[in-house]
Amino acid sequence: MMKQKIFDQLTPIFQEVLDEPSLVLTETLSAAAVDGWDSLKHITLIVEIEALTGLVLSADELINIQNVGDFVNLLYNRGYRG
Amino acid sequence: MGNYSFHDLAVGMISRKGYQFTAKRINAFSELVDDAAPVHTNPEFAKQLGFDNTIAHGLFVQSVISGMLGTDIPGPQSVINSLTMNMHLPVLAGQQVDYHIEITSLTAAVSAVSLKYSGTANGKLVISGKALCSFPKHISD
């Protein structure tokens, strides 16, 4: 349930940044599956996620992010509960 | 001109610049971008629309911000990811716009710099917005 809350909070960020108003976030959703999720948009996503959570993420943490589920797990493991 | 690396930057750093929107410059911009809208080039037409003189293109007014971002803060080693723009008042030919840019946050993991900017003419806000810049080592596409 805690992770679902994080999904719910990330959804409008991904929809806005990727300009996909109907985008549904799933654990396995990755950049390859979304037109426009390029490296520049990825930077914007990180900036917005830090603004949302108040966390300061590191490059080492982000290097292994493969999909939305990895994002959520990272935030959860850093103590963010939404 | 600033030549900062990401780690030289700090929240609260500012840049200021004044720019004069002469009729000559507005006409040159019209020609450059092939914009023949007469409100920018024909004073009589502009007066018919209720302006005291021709007005600068909104994107021209914003373009000065691009130069400040690329030459001062974050500087030549950065690129612009996104810019927002809110136009508050028209900029008339002959007016000077005084610009102000400020770093609002830094995202070290992706070397990204968030900024806000504004421009005033005769003390009145004419343009404002936000910018997101980054240092290209993170741009792979």
Side-chain angles (χ1 to χ4, degrees), chain A residues 43-44 46-52 55-56, chain B residues 6 9-13 73-74 101-116 130-135:
Chain A
I43 290 172
T44 305
I46 302 301
V47 171
E48 294 296 328
I49 289 170
E50 282 201 356
L52 168 73
L55 297 173
V56 176
Chain B
F6 177 80
L9 301 172
V11 172
M13 286 178 71
I73 58 169
I101 292 178
E102 181 175 345
I103 295 176
T104 55
S105 69
L106 298 166
T107 307
V110 287
S111 298
V113 185
S114 301
L115 309 100
K116 63 179 180 182
K130 295 178 180 178
L132 177 64
C133 300
S134 63
F135 286 67

Side-chain angles (χ1 to χ4, degrees), chain B residues 51-133:
Chain B
F51 300 112
D52 291 338
N53 202 344
T54 53
I55 61 173
H57 313 68
L59 289 176
F60 184 20
V61 178
Q62 188 194 38
S63 69
V64 177
I65 295 295
S66 173
M68 294 173 71
L69 296 170
T71 60
D72 196 5
I73 58 169
Q77 297 185 53
S78 69
V79 295
I80 299 171
N81 294 30
S82 64
L83 271 176
T84 68
M85 177 176 69
N86 301 303
M87 298 299 300
H88 301 280
L89 287 172
V91 175
L92 301 174
Q95 282 190 313
Q96 172 165 316
V97 175
D98 296 310
Y99 292 93
H100 177 277
I101 292 178
E102 181 175 345
I103 295 176
T104 55
S105 69
L106 298 166
T107 307
V110 287
S111 298
V113 185
S114 301
L115 309 100
K116 63 179 180 182
Y117 71 85
S118 61
T120 59
N122 298 324
K124 293 182 178 178
L125 185 67
V126 295
I127 189 170
S128 67
K130 295 178 180 178
L132 177 64
C133 300

Side-chain angles (χ1 to χ4, degrees), chain A residues 15-71:
Chain A
Q15 289 173 337
E16 172 78 18
V17 171
L18 301 178
D19 196 23
E20 291 279 352
S22 58
L23 183 68
V24 176
L25 296 192
T26 64
E27 291 262 0
T28 58
L29 184 69
S30 66
V34 182
D35 284 342
W37 186 347
D38 54 26
S39 57
L40 288 178
K41 291 293 177 63
H42 194 74
I43 290 172
T44 305
L45 286 171
I46 302 301
V47 171
E48 294 296 328
I49 289 170
E50 282 201 356
L52 168 73
T53 62
L55 297 173
V56 176
L57 305 173
S58 72
D60 286 344
E61 289 174 315
L62 296 175
I63 202 164
N64 293 320
I65 297 290
Q66 300 291 323
N67 52 39
V68 171
D70 291 339
F71 264 126

